[in-house]
Amino acid sequence: MRLGWAAALLLLVGPALATDIALPPAGGQYDPQLAGAYAPSAGTTIVSRDRSNPPFKGGYSICYVNAFQTQPQEAAWWKANHPDLLLKQRSGNWLEDTNWPGEILLDTSTATKRAALTAIVGAWIDQCAQDGFSAIEADNLDTYSRSDGALTIAENLAFAESLIDRAHALGLAFGQKNGAELGQRGRDIGFDFAIVESCQTYDECDAYTGPYGRHVLEIEYTDTPAPDFITACAIRGRQISVIRRDRGLSMPGNAAYFYEHC
């Protein structure tokens, strides 16, 4: 059996590379650029970009992968090549994220399916490493909460752990995206830092700073109350990165673009 370069590397060096993993600078100014890459504002030290974009060369670069549901532009590929790895409703229709049309939930319900998904998403992680990213942001960990009971927290965490192992073997840190209800469980399976949305609005920031300390990147949005951002800055702005963005993470030049940091 031929091994991919990442798998062969893992066999050769084992988990030792994990000791070389660098975390995002604590409290560093953060800019999530998931709608497209652009030159960030002065002082920015941490940037998230989609895996299809080049890494940020001026600081710490995080590679975004939609690890638990499809990207809209890739849904047709999944349906054609791996329909067995996609969730369906009882009606037989694809189970999509109601807030993001075209994003079909991936099926992590069995060990066999998780292994198949790890092969696919793991290849994306390999490419992130080759491209020069420092970390992985795996989105939609919380699909269990909108799967109509088809998925469990334990199943998604088992899949996440396999991806974390893959990333760590390549020297990449791995971020937990949301999932306040996990508490210490996320840290225990190997997540290194957290990227969280609207934790001030939902009064759940302590669920992240407890396990991850200063290694939390907090995003508050313009479609939630402005005082939430002001409060977040007052409470945590000197310890962790706290920013305010437009919900669509628009690029500069777009009328919807908004960016503010503490």
Side-chain angles (χ1 to χ4, degrees), residues 165-189:
D165 289 345
R166 182 94 165 220
H168 282 175
L170 297 166
L172 300 177
F174 207 102
Q176 175 185 325
K177 181 74 172 285
N178 297 322
E181 64 275 17
L182 299 180
Q184 184 65 30
R185 291 177 70 181
R187 190 76 183 92
D188 289 344
I189 69 163

Side-chain angles (χ1 to χ4, degrees), residues 10-99:
L10 177 57
L11 289 175
L12 286 171
V13 302
L17 281 174
T19 60
D20 300 325
I21 290 171
L23 299 182
Q29 186 175 324
Y30 174 52
D31 188 1
Q33 300 184 0
L34 305 187
Y38 54 87
S41 60
T44 300
T45 58
I46 309 165
V47 170
S48 288
R49 285 180 177 168
D50 187 83
R51 63 186 177 86
S52 63
N53 291 137
F56 170 55
K57 298 297 186 183
Y60 192 93
S61 197
I62 302 171
C63 188
Y64 172 93
V65 297
N66 201 351
F68 292 84
Q69 55 196 48
T70 68
Q71 291 286 70
Q73 69 273 19
E74 296 174 345
W77 179 86
W78 282 97
K79 292 175 185 177
N81 294 280
H82 299 285
D84 57 315
L85 300 180
L86 303 177
L87 280 179
K88 285 190 174 182
Q89 299 171 320
R90 292 179 179 87
S91 64
N93 295 324
W94 302 110
L95 184 54
E96 294 187 15
D97 186 325
T98 55
N99 293 318

Side-chain angles (χ1 to χ4, degrees), residues 100-186:
W100 300 97
E103 298 203 12
I104 304 168
L105 277 61
L106 302 182
D107 189 352
T108 64
S109 63
T110 71
T112 298
K113 291 185 177 185
R114 291 192 294 271
L117 288 169
T118 298
I120 295 168
V121 180
W124 303 345
I125 292 172
D126 297 348
Q127 189 62 53
C128 291
Q130 284 186 303
D131 290 343
F133 284 93
S134 300
I136 299 296
E137 172 186 350
D139 204 4
N140 292 302
L141 171 65
D142 60 351
T143 52
Y144 51 80
S145 68
R146 51 184 182 277
S147 67
D148 292 339
L151 305 176
T152 67
I153 292 178
E155 289 161 354
N156 273 18
L157 286 180
F159 176 45
E161 188 170 11
S162 70
L163 299 180
I164 291 168
D165 289 345
R166 182 94 165 220
H168 282 175
L170 297 166
L172 300 177
F174 207 102
Q176 175 185 325
K177 181 74 172 285
N178 297 322
E181 64 275 17
L182 299 180
Q184 184 65 30
R185 291 177 70 181

